[in-house]
Amino acid sequence: MKCRRCGARAEVQLRAHNTAFCRPCYLFFFRRQVERAIDAQRMLVAGERILVAVSGGKDSLALWDMLADLGHDTTGLYLGLGIGEYSDRSREKVEQFAAARGLPLRVVKLEDEQLAVPGVAAATRRAPCAACGTMKRHYFDAAAFAGGFDVLATGHNLDDEAARLLGNVLRWQKDHLARQRPVLPPSHPKFVRKVKPLYLTSEYETAVYAFMRGIDYIVDECPNAAGATQLLYKGALDRLEVASPGTKLAFVKEFLRSAQPAFAAVEQREPMECAGCGMPAYGVLCSFCSLVREVENRRARTSSALPA
Ligand code: AMP
Ligand code: FES
Ligand code: ZN
């Protein structure tokens, strides 16, 4: 197979795009795809300070690599989730990445706040991923606001977005569909804009980019991911994609073009401020503070039940 751009021997075949590339042309293609997504959705303005949430996985490190390479002012944010060895190794990957490139990195460890994911999940009897998602959102927002950043970037890719869309559609979660966008403008002065520059590039495309750029990332999935419904949806979409390449791209793009605006038009709830942490909230407490309250109550009950 030959590279579509230069005719050299192709190294990557992209069935969804019905094309193939050699290594230099693939890197060019990938970068152009991301730049186009950023421009088309007006994700970033020159000179803005970007906080990039990096997990140590391929997507977020590829994103940081690209944004820094494009000349943006970036700072990494790593959240230590306290998930044993998985968290230790992912932190190492992020720290090595930042040090090798001389990029600034902020590390927040949930275990330092007594909020490691396994403990919180057990205390609140929630699925670890649900507790983790609530805490991640809170710490991303809080760090972006406290650090005076203009925008928060995450490494969500096409597979993530398609799986999330499928989950939202299967249950017709109108409020989630209203907010499923690659750019989320701030709905409160304490929120910053949130962007997902990789929302049109597949997990496979990002992995190839990371490999070609020599990015050392954590290959293992979070140990809590097994059995998560997100993986079930990803598996179903993978099967559809094999039978009909381009399905995921069309699903996400067409949703954003023709259906998302209708959902967004209905959802107009303005957040108030959380009585606990002061961040925006849709009730008296934000979902993070409600979760922490639950953990505290549970711990208080358990310790008072212990024999003196
Ligand atoms: P996930 O929720 O694991 O699918 O990750 C989605 C995105 O959230 C990643 O691409 C990162 O940008 C960000 N993210 C996930 N985990 C972390 C973490 N521990 N620290 C910082 N950012 C993270
Ligand atoms: Fe949050 Fe796995 S990354 S539970
Ligand atoms: Zn709060």
Side-chain angles (χ1 to χ4, degrees):
M1 209 187 330
K2 288 192 169 160
C3 170
R4 270 305 155 80
R5 224 173 131 242
C6 75
R9 194 178 65 80
E11 213 176 309
V12 203
Q13 186 188 7
L14 302 178
R15 291 185 66 210
H17 296 274
N18 191 24
T19 191
F21 295 110
C22 69
R23 190 172 291 211
C25 290
Y26 178 76
L27 288 171
F28 174 85
F29 165 83
F30 186 87
R31 182 171 163 141
R32 202 182 50 185
Q33 292 276 101
V34 179
E35 278 184 297
R36 277 189 184 159
I38 292 174
D39 292 345
Q41 296 286 336
R42 300 205 182 95
M43 292 190 190
L44 307 170
V45 176
E48 281 186 323
R49 290 184 64 229
I50 309 169
L51 186 64
V52 190
V54 276
S55 64
K58 59 185 179 324
D59 303 299
S60 47
L61 288 182
L63 174 63
W64 197 7
D65 174 81
M66 163 133 346
L67 292 179
D69 204 48
L70 290 171
H72 290 289
D73 176 348
T74 59
T75 297
L77 170 67
Y78 172 79
L79 212 55
L81 303 169
I83 308 177
E85 202 200 325
Y86 167 76
S87 288
D88 297 338
R89 286 199 291 125
S90 53
R91 194 188 73 240
E92 277 163 27
K93 299 287 184 199
V94 172
E95 286 177 343
Q96 283 161 8
F97 178 97
R101 290 161 178 77
L103 292 169
L105 172 67
R106 299 181 180 195
V107 175
V108 178
K109 288 189 193 160
L110 294 191
E111 59 265 41
D112 292 350
E113 326 258 325
Q114 320 309 320
L115 289 175
V117 167
V120 171
T124 58
R125 297 204 177 91
R126 286 182 209 213
C129 294
C132 176
T134 300
M135 294 198 288
K136 275 198 263 198
R137 269 193 302 281
H138 171 80
Y139 282 99
F140 291 171
D141 288 332
F145 174 65
F149 289 92
D150 300 298
V151 46
L152 171 80
T154 54
H156 293 94
N157 59 36
L158 177 64
D159 294 68
D160 297 326
E161 291 306 293
R164 187 161 157 217
L165 179 56
L166 182 59
N168 287 341
V169 164
L170 288 174
R171 288 183 181 75
W172 290 114
Q173 286 176 308
K174 296 199 272 301
D175 50 338
H176 293 186
L177 289 163
R179 275 179 276 122
Q180 182 165 355
R181 273 179 271 181
V183 182
L184 214 49
S187 57
H188 186 280
K190 287 186 178 175
F191 276 152
V192 305
R193 187 184 335 124
K194 290 177 199 165
V195 301
K196 300 174 186 173
L198 304 184
Y199 82 108
L200 293 181
T201 54
S202 71
E203 208 162 293
Y204 173 72
E205 289 164 43
T206 325
V208 172
Y209 175 84
F211 169 77
M212 287 181 176
R213 293 281 292 172
I215 296 172
D216 183 18
Y217 58 87
I218 181 152
V219 178
D220 303 341
E221 287 269 3
C222 162
N224 297 320
T229 42
Q230 190 81 350
L231 280 192
L232 186 68
Y233 299 149
K234 280 192 175 175
L237 287 160
D238 284 342
R239 290 177 62 188
L240 292 170
E241 184 74 25
V242 168
S244 176
T247 297
K248 292 177 197 173
L249 201 54
F251 185 41
V252 170
K253 271 183 138 173
E254 210 40 49
F255 161 69
L256 290 170
R257 200 176 67 85
S258 47
Q260 208 281 336
F263 289 104
V266 183
E267 208 243 4
Q268 293 295 348
R269 273 201 308 158
E270 295 281 322
M272 301 164 295
E273 280 190 9
C274 170
C277 68
M279 289 298 283
Y282 292 94
V284 178
L285 289 180
C286 73
S287 43
F288 170 75
C289 288
S290 307
L291 184 77
V292 173
R293 191 71 53 97
E294 261 185 67
V295 174
E296 286 167 354
N297 289 344
R298 170 93 186 166
R299 285 183 182 152
R301 278 204 306 275
T302 333
S303 63
S304 64
L306 289 174

